[in-house]
Amino acid sequence: MQQHSIALLFALNLFIFALLAAPARAAEPPAYRNVALKSAPSHLIIPAGAPKRAAKVDVLVHFKGGADSLAKAFLEAKLDGVLIVVHWNGLSRVYTKPFEDNPNLLEEILDEARNAARAEGVLTKDGDWNKLRTSCFSAGWASIRHLLKDKKWFDRIDTILAADSIYAGFVNNDATTRIVNPDNMKDFRRFAELAAQGKKTFIVTHSQERTPTYASTRECAEDLIQHLKLNRE
């Protein structure tokens, strides 16, 4: 037993010595930088492969979701530019009210993120955003719908990606007929028209989840399909 203990102790010492003597492995560089912004509960995500000192950089503003989860999705999608994630806890109302209270809020977010991108070496000192793209999940659609009411933002937004994320009310609030309220969809419809002409990009996904008191993402997607007289493939 004593010989066994000595042998075990000797082996353990050899193992510890091997660990101490092993060359240190360089830590892998982070895949992205996460810069917290103050204009809203938001983060600027800068991929490791982002441009360096560029005069123009594309920016995607996403509404609703965790910054790190969205960062990983952004990297996996191999999208150009940088990402801004804006997240409030709550349903669609919390994604509308901040922009009602402060019509300049998105501009302030973009300005702060631009300054951060310059400080982080992504943009030159006079660099600016190129294409403005937007995306949303769940209640985040409400921010985009509100922004589209403003001609400045309607014209400036190049892309919308709605990931199971466009809802609407019913005509006369009648959930028995389930007719999607066109007033709630009119700006999405206009954007879809331009996308059909190749002037914008509009990507819509939906689930099959039925919502009892308001139009579901599937019903809103069908509204756009019918408005454009398209067929599913």
Side-chain angles (χ1 to χ4, degrees):
M1 181 67 71
Q2 184 177 8
Q3 289 180 342
H4 177 74
S5 298
I6 292 173
L8 183 61
L9 183 61
F10 180 71
L12 182 60
N13 285 335
L14 282 178
F15 177 70
I16 294 173
F17 177 78
L19 288 178
L20 293 175
R25 295 178 61 184
E28 294 185 5
Y32 61 89
R33 284 167 281 168
N34 184 334
V35 181
L37 304 177
K38 298 178 181 179
S39 302
S42 55
H43 296 259
L44 171 65
I45 304 299
I46 303 174
K52 307 294 184 185
R53 301 293 176 189
K56 293 283 185 180
V57 171
D58 293 341
V59 58
L60 169 63
V61 182
H62 177 87
F63 297 95
K64 193 170 179 63
D68 289 325
S69 296
L70 268 299
K72 292 173 183 176
F74 188 81
L75 293 176
E76 289 176 3
K78 295 180 171 57
L79 297 175
D80 295 331
V82 298
L83 168 69
I84 298 173
V85 179
V86 182
H87 179 77
W88 287 283
N89 289 320
L91 302 178
S92 58
R93 179 58 182 161
V94 304
Y95 280 87
T96 301
K97 192 174 187 304
F99 295 99
E100 292 175 344
D101 294 342
N102 180 5
N104 296 319
L105 180 57
L106 181 55
E107 196 72 73
E108 292 173 6
I109 294 170
L110 290 171
D111 286 348
E112 184 183 358
R114 182 194 301 110
N115 291 336
R118 290 170 177 171
E120 293 287 333
V122 177
L123 289 168
T124 62
K125 66 177 183 178
D126 297 319
D128 204 348
W129 301 127
N130 188 28
K131 289 183 179 179
L132 171 60
R133 295 161 173 159
T134 61
S135 61
C136 55
F137 169 69
S138 188
W141 68 275
S143 289
I144 295 179
R145 187 182 74 172
H146 184 79
L147 291 168
L148 291 180
K149 295 176 182 179
D150 186 331
K151 184 179 185 304
K152 177 183 74 172
W153 293 117
F154 186 96
D155 293 343
R156 189 169 169 187
I157 293 172
D158 172 80
T159 298
I160 296 174
L161 164 58
D164 194 23
S165 183
I166 297 180
Y167 296 92
F170 294 126
V171 172
N172 297 324
N173 294 318
D174 187 351
T176 59
T177 59
R178 299 191 74 84
I179 300 174
V180 178
N181 189 335
D183 287 341
N184 296 160
M185 296 296 296
K186 62 182 180 181
D187 293 314
F188 286 124
R189 288 179 176 184
R190 289 198 301 134
F191 200 93
E193 290 169 4
L194 294 177
Q197 298 169 23
K199 298 176 181 178
K200 303 276 191 182
T201 299
F202 198 1
I203 302 170
V204 179
T205 72
H206 67 79
S207 66
Q208 301 287 1
E209 190 70 21
R210 181 181 173 86
T211 47
T213 59
Y214 52 92
S216 66
T217 56
R218 179 183 176 90
E219 289 168 315
C220 291
E222 291 290 355
D223 178 89
L224 294 174
I225 290 170
Q226 293 171 14
H227 178 71
L228 295 175
K229 297 180 173 58
L230 302 176
N231 295 312
R232 286 180 178 270
E233 294 183 2

